Amino acid sequence: MTFEKIHTENMVLHYGSKMALNNISINIPEKKVTAFIGPSGCGKSTFLRSLNRMNDLIDGVKIEGNILIDGINIYDKNIDVVTLRKKVGMVFQKSNPFAKSIYENVAYGPRINGVKDKNQLDEIVETALKNAAIWEEVKDRLGDSAMGLSGGQQQRLCIARTLAVNPEIVLMDEPASALDPLSTSKIEELIVQLKEKYTIVIVTHNMQQAARISDLTAFFYLGELIEFDKTKKIFTNPDKKQTEDYITGRFG
Amino acid sequence: MIKSFKKNIKGILIEGLTLSSALIIIAIVVVMFTVIVIGGKDQITWEFLTSFPEDGMTKGGIFPAIYGTALLVILMSIAAVPFGTITAIYLTEYAKENSIIAKTIRFAVRTLAVIPSIIYGLFGLGFFIKFVGTQMDNAFLGGQLKWGQPNILWASLTMSLLTLPVVIVSVEEALKTVPKDLRAASLALGATKWQTIWKVVIPGSISGIMTGTILAVSRGAGEVAPILFTGVAYYLATLPASLSDQFMVLGYHIYVMTTQSANVDKTMPIQFGTTLVLLMLTFILNFSAIILRYRIRKKKTD
């Protein structure tokens, strides 16, 4: 078996004394959209957050097993978390722009990486906003506060902010769950475009969404990875009965 | 359902009692303000605010006391605000919520807040003047008396200890208003913890930090006890020019004028004038803190 972009092996996560993820082994390929589905509390978000070590912020989380990105164990004690997170960006469920201007939101990442040149920053900001399909809507008001944008626009701004750091992987934790249908479809279109350049891993509650945008789908249930395969196969002819029950809406 | 007459009377009596105690509070404020404003308003002239006391402090102005108060609160803030802010940052950003160290710090802060202010004065005398000051004189001046006596530096540092809990608690509150999501967003972009604090958390809570500072300053401007032994002077013919000089202060000046003056009746207008100035000063400070706080709340709900 070849190691793909993200590869985990017998990964176990304890939250205090409670086991939240059990024996997760998965191989997520590059430049594809991979969706994590499953009922609430199944561990899919927790697993996602392990991939850029955002779980480090939570007390009592203990991880065993290997999580390799490009063949490197990201939980190795020599790993610099800050560098890891630049490579593995994250978009959150609730849009969380900083109370700064649109421009400064996108420029935040490059700035903390030491980019000072105004022209270079302008260029990064423009590219990121274009890649996040929001440039046309905000190009005339980059100096305005990001808080004045609509929910959907804020979320695309947050995606732009993540892209501005030039990550290789973008993790998305239910990025459209708080949005109206129109904004959701914009985000979905965007995700499909983004896979040309980035490896996308998305957690979603919305099975139609997973079916529409993802190439591969992983079904999580009670902290275990039940099935991982091509999205088409998962939704038409899953191997496991639990997967089928969930897909067809018999539980969850 | 007919109301029982007895119950009805009881209800009215209780409501009346609670209302009248509330009204007494209003009356106290009104009386206090009326007396001070009527007594002091004619006294407040440019001359009074900008000149030195004259004729054994029976005439003239209160400029040295205003100047001393301003200098005291500025020096106090320079010490208390950074120190308090850094402590609050440790408590909210670094310390684990229920760790022993966080609990101990919070206990210490609460204890500092309830210590009577005169005890701060005694501590300042014993620690800053007798210990630190004397050691400095012995070490640098061969025992010549310079720092081992009351001055504005020791008074400001003593006052900063008193206001420290105010700063810590209000800065902590301000830092907590910055949503966890924003910290997560910053960290997920590859920012270090310190970059996150410096570029997201502090800018997001700056008006709260300002509010805390103003509250601390207004508390400090009105206090007399902590500086009583540590630097305030009865009368000085010159303004303090160095950190080792003594100084005059509005609050203490009122005390001096009302109890230590050779002719209390003659200085009555000055007493009223000084009281009004001090009252207005703390009032303006508190009012600006309230406005700032209101603007933060509004921003949060927007």
Side-chain angles (χ1 to χ4, degrees):
Chain A
M1 188 172 74
T2 55
F3 285 7
E4 297 282 1
K5 188 79 179 168
I6 303 169
H7 173 87
T8 78
E9 225 168 60
N10 304 331
M11 186 269 205
V12 176
L13 184 144
H14 282 273
Y15 184 74
S17 58
K18 191 179 153 265
M19 185 188 276
L21 289 168
N22 185 15
N23 224 11
I24 309 291
S25 298
I26 194 168
N27 228 348
I28 298 171
E30 194 179 19
K31 293 185 180 167
K32 294 265 191 295
V33 176
T34 301
F36 292 172
I37 60 167
S40 300
C42 67
K44 58 191 189 301
S45 281
T46 307
F47 183 62
L48 188 81
R49 294 168 72 91
S50 302
L51 301 179
N52 69 343
R53 294 188 55 174
M54 286 305 278
N55 282 332
D56 289 13
L57 307 178
I58 300 162
D59 287 342
V61 170
K62 218 172 69 208
I63 290 172
E64 292 152 50
N66 291 328
I67 300 182
L68 303 147
I69 290 179
D70 290 331
I72 296 163
N73 185 357
I74 62 164
Y75 281 85
D76 190 281
K77 61 180 186 302
N78 297 322
I79 289 291
D80 176 24
V81 183
V82 166
T83 321
L84 168 73
R85 289 184 189 143
K86 281 170 192 161
K87 184 171 169 170
V88 188
M90 184 159 209
V91 176
F92 297 81
Q93 179 174 9
K94 222 175 117 225
S95 59
N96 52 2
F98 302 126
K100 300 176 192 280
S101 70
I102 294 168
Y103 183 94
E104 283 305 321
N105 262 280
V106 184
Y108 182 85
R111 274 192 208 279
I112 57 172
N113 284 320
V115 180
K116 288 199 179 79
D117 181 56
K118 182 82 176 80
N119 293 330
Q120 203 187 342
L121 276 175
D122 286 352
E123 205 183 304
I124 295 172
V125 169
E126 185 176 336
T127 311
L129 288 169
K130 278 181 176 160
N131 284 342
I134 190 177
W135 172 252
E136 287 303 319
E137 292 158 66
V138 298
K139 65 179 179 190
D140 299 323
R141 46 174 178 148
L142 294 176
D144 290 4
S145 168
M147 309 317 262
L149 298 173
S150 74
Q153 288 173 328
Q154 284 190 8
Q155 193 60 301
R156 277 178 287 145
L157 177 68
C158 290
I159 294 174
R161 185 176 64 183
T162 303
L163 300 183
V165 187
N166 208 13
E168 293 171 25
I169 300 169
V170 179
L171 309 175
M172 297 187 170
D173 192 357
E174 300 187 46
S177 68
L179 302 179
D180 62 87
L182 194 69
S183 306
T184 301
S185 72
K186 278 193 180 150
I187 299 270
E188 288 182 6
E189 277 171 40
L190 174 60
I191 291 168
V192 175
Q193 285 164 23
L194 289 176
K195 75 173 176 184
E196 280 177 33
K197 290 184 195 153
Y198 308 92
T199 304
I200 312 277
V201 185
I202 176 172
V203 162
T204 178
H205 258 120
N206 181 331
M207 277 184 286
Q208 286 78 27
Q209 184 172 71
R212 276 194 299 266
I213 64 174
S214 70
D215 303 296
L216 297 131
T217 297
F219 171 60
F220 286 80
Y221 185 58
L222 297 179
E224 301 202 21
L225 175 62
I226 305 296
E227 192 168 352
F228 177 52
D229 215 320
K230 293 208 167 58
T231 299
K232 207 173 170 190
K233 172 140 186 355
I234 294 276
F235 280 92
T236 51
N237 184 24
D239 287 337
K240 302 272 169 62
K241 186 162 184 313
Q242 277 164 308
T243 313
E244 195 182 344
D245 287 349
Y246 183 69
I247 301 292
T248 52
R250 240 164 278 169
F251 78 91
Chain B
M1 292 287 179
I2 297 162
K3 268 188 198 162
S4 129
F5 179 70
K6 222 173 146 185
K7 265 192 188 160
N8 210 6
I9 284 289
K10 201 175 158 194
I12 289 169
L13 277 178
I14 290 171
E15 188 180 341
L17 188 72
T18 52
L19 177 66
S20 47
S21 48
L23 288 176
I24 288 170
I25 301 290
I26 298 175
I28 291 170
V29 173
V30 170
V31 168
M32 205 185 270
F33 268 76
T34 316
V35 170
I36 293 170
V37 171
I38 289 175
K41 69 177 193 319
D42 296 333
Q43 192 64 32
I44 311 288
T45 59
W46 184 245
E47 170 102 51
F48 180 70
L49 298 175
T50 55
S51 60
F52 273 67
E54 286 158 26
D55 284 350
M57 294 209 283
T58 54
K59 278 189 189 151
I62 54 165
F63 182 66
I66 296 176
Y67 182 84
T69 306
L71 201 58
L72 174 76
V73 296
I74 289 169
L75 290 173
M76 174 203 82
S77 312
I78 291 173
V81 174
F83 190 27
T85 305
I86 290 166
T87 309
I89 287 174
Y90 176 77
L91 280 174
T92 42
E93 307 296 324
Y94 289 95
K96 295 213 166 84
E97 188 60 37
N98 286 315
S99 64
I100 293 172
I101 177 95
K103 278 182 179 165
T104 314
I105 295 169
R106 288 210 167 82
F107 177 74
V109 171
R110 275 200 297 275
T111 311
L112 274 182
V114 298
I115 292 174
S117 50
I118 191 79
I119 294 176
Y120 279 99
L122 289 170
F123 174 79
L125 176 66
F127 179 72
F128 290 124
I129 298 173
K130 293 295 170 200
F131 179 70
V132 182
T134 308
Q135 295 293 325
M136 280 168 70
D137 285 344
N138 289 340
F140 305 116
L141 300 166
Q144 192 195 331
L145 190 64
K146 184 180 185 191
W147 296 104
Q149 56 189 350
N151 64 36
I152 192 155
L153 176 67
W154 302 140
S156 305
L157 290 180
T158 308
M159 192 68 98
S160 72
L161 293 181
L162 175 95
T163 51
L164 208 49
V166 184
V167 178
I168 294 172
V169 171
S170 43
V171 173
E172 238 196 299
E173 296 288 312
L175 297 175
K176 278 185 193 155
T177 61
V178 177
K180 282 214 162 63
D181 288 0
L182 293 188
R183 293 182 174 83
S186 171
L187 293 170
L189 289 167
T192 60
K193 187 150 186 165
W194 175 245
Q195 285 171 326
T196 302
I197 294 170
W198 186 243
K199 301 213 161 167
V200 175
V201 179
I202 292 180
S205 53
I206 192 72
S207 26
I209 295 172
M210 294 292 292
T211 313
T213 310
I214 296 171
L215 285 176
V217 167
S218 88
R219 170 113 203 256
E223 278 285 351
V224 174
I227 54 173
L228 213 48
F229 320 118
T230 52
V232 77
Y234 175 86
Y235 170 72
L236 294 166
T238 54
L239 296 175
S242 110
L243 288 176
S244 61
D245 286 345
Q246 295 200 353
F247 59 104
M248 291 174 75
V249 143
L250 288 167
Y252 187 63
H253 196 60
I254 295 169
Y255 169 76
V256 168
M257 299 304 271
T258 47
T259 62
Q260 312 293 303
S261 168
N263 190 340
V264 173
D265 291 334
K266 207 178 159 194
T267 62
M268 193 70 91
I270 300 180
Q271 295 165 28
F272 270 115
T274 315
T275 310
L276 185 56
V277 169
L278 178 58
L279 195 68
M280 293 319 282
L281 182 72
T282 47
F283 214 71
I284 291 166
L285 287 169
N286 274 296
F287 200 65
S288 32
I290 291 168
I291 291 174
L292 259 176
R293 187 170 283 179
Y294 172 76
R295 284 180 49 188
I296 302 163
R297 293 220 176 111
K298 220 180 130 205
K299 217 172 89 191
K300 262 179 77 189
T301 48
D302 273 351

